Amino acid sequence: MDQEFREKSSRDMSENYKFFQNKKCEYFPCHKVENEEEFNCLFCYCPLYMLKDKCGGNFKYTNGFKNCSDCTIPHTKNSHEYMMSKMSVVSKIGSERE
């Protein structure tokens, strides 16, 4: 690809891939929110769960398990940027051998 094509493609690309809703889901919305229209289902299962206390979310431990029921970070309208900012850490942990 030449430079001009890459620049045009990035300018013209929509950002619809950053937001998804499934209002037919029996759990929608799975967290209490003020505005359901901005509830993002894209990260239904949070990929940051494995980061434990370094995920940056609002969680607590219940009976020894991480409880994220009060966390809406993955479900905000603009969550994509935050989630992607943490993916290098997730990838590194996932790539480590035991």
Side-chain angles (χ1 to χ4, degrees), residues 90-97:
V90 171
S91 294
K92 182 179 179 195
I93 292 171
S95 298
E96 293 174 354
R97 293 184 179 195

Side-chain angles (χ1 to χ4, degrees), residues 12-86:
D12 296 340
M13 181 187 267
S14 75
E15 298 205 358
N16 294 326
Y17 65 92
K18 294 181 178 182
F19 185 84
F20 169 75
Q21 276 192 340
N22 182 6
K23 289 185 177 183
K24 291 183 179 180
C25 175
E26 56 270 21
Y27 301 107
F28 182 85
C30 59
H31 295 271
K32 294 176 186 172
V33 293
E34 290 182 25
N35 186 352
E36 287 185 8
E37 292 304 311
E38 293 186 0
F39 191 86
N40 192 352
C41 300
L42 185 62
F43 298 105
C44 177
Y45 290 95
C46 183
L48 306 184
Y49 183 86
M50 68 182 297
L51 298 180
K52 300 177 183 165
D53 63 343
K54 301 207 179 357
C55 67
N58 180 22
F59 68 91
K60 59 188 171 229
Y61 284 99
T62 305
N63 298 324
F65 291 93
K66 187 175 175 183
N67 177 343
C68 305
S69 59
D70 292 332
C71 183
T72 58
I73 287 177
H75 301 296
T76 60
K77 186 175 183 180
N78 298 310
S79 63
H80 189 268
E81 284 77 17
Y82 180 77
M83 302 302 276
M84 291 299 105
S85 75
K86 296 282 195 174

